[in-house]
Amino acid sequence: MPKKSTNMSGLQCLASENIWFDKPLYDEAEKCFYEGANGPPSQESEVNAILQDIAKSRQNILQSLNGSSSHAGGDQELVTRMKSMELENHTLHKVVAEMRAALQTLENRVATLEKSPSAKAAPVQAAPVKQVQNGDDEDEDDDMDLFGSDDEDDEEAERLKQERLDAYAAKKSKKPALIAKSSLLLDVKPWDDETDMAKLEECVRSVQMEGLLWGASKLVPVGYGIKKLQITCVIEDDKVGTDILEEEITKFEDFIQSIDVAAFNKI
Amino acid sequence: MVKEKTHVNVVIIGHVDSGKSTTTGHLVYKCGGVDQRRLEKFEKAAAEMGKSSFKFAWVLDKLKAERERGMTIDISLMKFNTQRYSMTIIDAPGHRDFIKNMITGTSQADVALLVVSAAQGEYEAGVSRSGQTREHALLAYTLGVKQIIVCVNKMDLTEPPFSQKRFEEVVRGVNGFLKKIGYETGTVPFVPISGWTGENMITATQKMPWFQGWKSRRRGGNAIGRTLLEVLDSIQPPVRTINKPLRLPLQDVYKIGGVGTVPVGKIETGVLKPGMTLMFSPAKITAEVKSIEMHHQGMEQGLPGHNVGFNIKNVAVKNLRRGDVAGNAQQDPPTDVSSFEAQVIILNHPGKVKAGYSPVLDCHTAHVTCRFAELKEKIDRRTGNKVEDDPQLLISGDAATVKMIPIKPMCVESFFSYPSLGRFAARDLKQTVAVGVIKSVVKEQGSKLKA
């Protein structure tokens, strides 16, 4: 034993050193252990997840192939989009049909124009003009009808003109129609230098009608203490006439002698 | 110094899309008109909004919006200066009552500026039957605006841009119908411009090297111009009719305490002086002028264009009224007429006009119903040549010589002696059915024919 023990002491030393030599082994073992404990199951779950995904996507593919719609939100969106596209397609078809019809009428028009080479752009209007020319004075080479068509135009120029007019009409129709308005500057005159001009202005402004907007005003000296009221108003061309305006204003005959239009401009 | 410039009224005519407003806006914006403080305010605002590159358009829009709300009375918005003239712009509206206003209104146009678009289709539409170009030009001519300038606008939108070919095409077309209307086409200037980008407006452009400017030979030397501004500057000054006998149509008559009777009106021709004996027609009253005032300031004399008030002796207010004409009792005094012969153009009459038709005539400040007593002859509007004797009826677009009889006393004059007292608008159904100029009048006393 003692011998053994002496040996042992050396061995012990070695053995104690062995711990260090073996460290990689232990490490390996530890690694193996941990891998054994955690690794395999985790890998397995990952694989499972992938498999599940594959299955899901397979299902998805299947379902989308079958055209089923009740699966996911994303699909619904797609479907609604498709529906709107179908609708759009429909309207486009309609537009094409309309355009075809329009083209047809245009073609017809061109055909009629070509048939009657001397006819003007507007055959209906041109016809009486021609009659007048033939009937009246043949020697007079000037076109009597000022508002009529130009006489020098040949067919080609006429067609070019018509084309341009059509293009213009097309362009014009896209533009929103503006309401034509005018700006008026009115001189409103009292009876004498004692007329209450504030009251007079009140009377003028009390005149209300559709398409009429009263604007700024001022008093302008005329002479001998008389002042006149200058007042602007904006009128819509189609709704307000100067006659009716004058009529309405001069109804206040206790205050107003007359009105004059001092300026009349397009807006 | 600005005040000394001759004043000229320019009426801008053209089709809706011709770019009238942009063109006039450009002139006003660049040559005076717009009040500097307001302009600076707008320009600053434009810069703040990062719109400085579209500054011009933006400011124009702002000004338009302001006008749409009627916020300014400022007529200076429509004024600009050339080297020789101070010009006021009348931007002709499409309003149906504008024609009447152009005839009887206070500001008569001296020059017409016709704006024609050269853009594809727009020119064609403008001069087409339904376009306004022809009608406006015809009216301007009929009513005595003998000077016309044509600007061929939107040259930047031709195909290709600034096309000489297109310009020449438009010039040919417009020349054609101006000639038909009666303008001497050799003297009508044509300028290719772009009101939007400013080409040839104020300064000559490099983009149209083919345009060498406009030249015209006429009395008082040749006129030349490369830009619209130069051409406007080269017009002949309006004739001031100081040397003619006095004519002053009354607008209003006031009774002023401590002063007496004060008629007010615009002097059309001649000179009004204190001490002058006036004849009023058709009131048939004579009176002496005691004093004259304009804008509350006493005056030694009133001249054509002045809107004056004057004090007369011994006349009651009720004896005078709007529509009466004052003149010098010693020099061709005004008289009322028993009948007159006029050249009329039927405009918007929905039906047929026959002898006996009695619309209301607006002539200077008078407003009197007159009967178409006799349709004498139908005429060619351009040449004035007879087309038909004693026509049975007239329709829209026809021109004719007619004898007219006012149903109550009225003072009018021949257009050739007193233009503003010799043009009228006939109104019926709340619209202008005819316009006309008076060729001769038959005076009440002596029935002497006056040319």
Side-chain angles (χ1 to χ4, degrees), chain A residues 218 232, chain B residues 33 35 38 67 71-78:
Chain A
K218 65 175 175 190
T232 44
Chain B
D35 129 54
R38 181 138 28 114
R67 290 205 292 140
M71 273 166 54
T72 48
I73 314 182
D74 210 351
I75 327 179
S76 74
L77 275 182
M78 302 304 280

Side-chain angles (χ1 to χ4, degrees), chain A:
Chain A
M1 273 309 266
K3 190 190 168 184
K4 211 181 175 181
S5 75
T6 46
N7 277 348
M8 274 300 280
S9 72
L11 277 174
Q12 258 175 349
C13 182
L14 276 174
S16 72
E17 278 185 350
N18 261 354
I19 293 163
W20 292 105
F21 291 142
D22 287 348
K23 188 178 185 269
L25 284 177
Y26 283 97
D27 280 352
E28 186 74 7
E30 198 183 352
K31 196 179 148 202
C32 275
F33 168 78
Y34 278 115
E35 273 177 2
N38 301 328
S42 87
Q43 257 174 12
E44 210 176 339
S45 80
E46 231 173 279
V47 170
N48 274 353
I50 290 168
L51 279 175
Q52 266 171 11
D53 274 1
I54 290 170
K56 248 189 213 166
S57 46
R58 267 201 193 124
Q59 245 178 350
N60 275 353
I61 290 165
L62 266 177
Q63 271 173 345
S64 58
L65 278 176
N66 292 341
S68 122
S69 62
S70 60
H71 179 58
D75 277 9
Q76 254 166 355
E77 198 179 72
L78 266 174
V79 165
T80 44
R81 232 195 249 166
M82 214 145 85
K83 269 185 185 161
S84 70
M85 259 162 79
E86 265 172 354
L87 210 76
E88 207 179 314
N89 196 14
H90 257 290
T91 36
L92 276 173
H93 266 298
K94 233 192 248 170
V95 169
V96 165
E98 276 169 7
M99 275 166 76
R100 206 174 276 158
L103 197 73
Q104 191 75 43
T105 47
L106 276 175
E107 263 173 1
N108 285 346
R109 201 157 164 195
V110 168
T112 39
L113 278 172
E114 273 172 346
K115 261 182 221 155
S116 48
S118 62
K120 309 296 185 219
V124 190
Q125 283 169 317
V129 174
K130 278 200 85 66
Q131 277 168 11
V132 169
Q133 275 176 345
N134 294 341
D136 271 5
D137 27 18
E138 304 240 356
D139 51 338
E140 175 78 80
D141 59 352
D142 277 316
D143 189 353
M144 226 43 99
D145 187 6
L146 185 76
F147 294 102
S149 315
D150 294 305
D151 31 334
E152 303 90 3
D153 291 348
D154 57 14
E155 191 194 346
E156 188 53 38
E158 200 57 44
R159 259 184 31 208
L160 196 68
K161 196 167 120 187
Q162 193 56 43
E163 256 169 44
R164 283 173 179 170
L165 272 176
D166 289 346
Y168 171 72
K171 200 178 102 190
K172 182 95 177 145
S173 63
K174 277 183 216 144
K175 246 171 138 182
L178 281 173
I179 300 167
K181 288 180 188 168
S182 301
S183 140
L184 281 177
L185 183 62
L186 301 178
D187 282 348
V188 187
K189 277 79 61 76
W191 285 105
D192 51 39
D193 56 338
E194 285 165 15
T195 306
D196 183 348
M197 294 305 281
K199 194 83 183 30
L200 178 142
E201 179 165 353
E202 214 174 275
C203 291
V204 173
R205 287 187 187 273
S206 75
V207 173
Q208 296 289 334
M209 55 183 96
E210 212 195 322
L212 168 70
L213 176 75
W214 290 109
S217 66
K218 65 175 175 190
L219 294 178
V220 179
V222 176
Y224 302 96
I226 314 154
K227 292 192 183 99
K228 65 183 176 188
L229 172 74
Q230 261 196 345
I231 187 164
T232 44
C233 64
V234 176
I235 55 171
E236 284 180 31
D237 286 3
D238 292 335
K239 288 182 180 158
V240 183
T242 53
D243 284 355
I244 182 84
L245 200 58
E246 183 174 347
E247 222 171 82
E248 289 296 319
I249 293 171
T250 46
K251 266 185 190 162
F252 299 98
E253 52 188 30
D254 289 346
F255 293 95
I256 296 163
Q257 176 169 187
S258 76
I259 71 164
D260 275 307
V261 177
F264 197 154
N265 276 291
K266 172 176 176 283
I267 288 188

Side-chain angles (χ1 to χ4, degrees), chain B residues 12-25:
Chain B
I12 317 281
I13 54 180
H15 195 58
V16 244
D17 283 337
S18 58
K20 284 198 301 175
S21 301
T22 311
T23 307
T24 51

Side-chain angles (χ1 to χ4, degrees), chain B residues 411-433:
Chain B
C411 172
V412 295
E413 297 282 359
S414 134
F415 179 77
F416 307 107
S417 357
Y418 303 97
S420 46
L421 281 79
R423 58 177 153 231
F424 60 83
R427 309 266 299 167
D428 187 17
L429 313 161
K430 296 223 182 295
Q431 55 178 344
T432 305
V433 292

Side-chain angles (χ1 to χ4, degrees), chain B residues 128-251:
Chain B
S128 71
R129 200 179 282 263
S130 54
Q132 293 152 345
T133 314
R134 288 172 191 236
E135 195 185 329
H136 276 164
L138 171 69
L139 280 169
Y141 183 80
T142 312
L143 302 172
V145 186
K146 301 292 185 212
Q147 294 194 69
I148 190 166
I149 294 167
V150 183
C151 40
V152 180
N153 197 12
K154 303 199 189 178
M155 286 304 292
D156 53 322
L157 295 181
T158 60
E159 281 171 28
F162 305 106
S163 156
Q164 179 178 13
K165 204 170 146 245
R166 179 64 166 169
F167 174 69
E168 279 163 2
E169 182 188 352
V170 173
V171 170
R172 244 193 336 273
V174 175
N175 245 332
F177 80 74
L178 286 183
K179 199 172 144 202
K180 280 178 193 169
I181 287 168
Y183 283 102
E184 263 181 75
T185 45
T187 65
V188 177
F190 283 82
V191 193
I193 62 158
S194 166
W196 183 250
T197 59
E199 253 70 48
N200 277 353
M201 293 285 296
I202 316 293
T203 48
T205 181
Q206 302 306 313
K207 290 180 180 156
M208 290 178 270
W210 43 264
F211 182 66
Q212 288 306 310
W214 165 83
K215 288 184 197 68
S216 164
R217 279 185 302 275
R218 63 178 183 210
R219 273 176 300 153
N222 292 351
I224 53 159
R226 277 200 69 178
T227 65
L228 182 57
L229 196 65
E230 281 169 23
V231 172
L232 281 168
D233 196 47
S234 74
I235 60 151
Q236 289 175 304
V239 185
R240 295 299 174 209
T241 41
I242 286 182
N243 302 325
K244 288 204 163 161
L246 176 70
R247 285 296 181 271
L248 193 167
L250 304 189
Q251 289 167 358

Side-chain angles (χ1 to χ4, degrees), chain B residues 360-423:
Chain B
V360 175
L361 252 62
D362 278 302
C363 184
H364 55 87
T365 54
H367 187 76
V368 176
T369 303
C370 294
R371 194 171 77 239
F372 281 54
E374 208 180 305
L375 307 183
K376 293 195 149 176
E377 53 192 35
K378 202 148 113 181
I379 48 183
D380 175 353
R381 268 172 306 209
R382 179 170 69 89
T383 59
N385 289 341
K386 181 165 60 178
V387 178
E388 188 186 342
D389 268 319
D390 304 317
Q392 285 307 298
L393 47 88
L394 302 169
I395 56 164
S396 288
D398 281 349
T401 309
V402 296
K403 183 184 171 188
M404 304 186 83
I405 297 179
I407 63 158
K408 61 179 193 187
M410 183 187 199
C411 172
V412 295
E413 297 282 359
S414 134
F415 179 77
F416 307 107
S417 357
Y418 303 97
S420 46
L421 281 79
R423 58 177 153 231

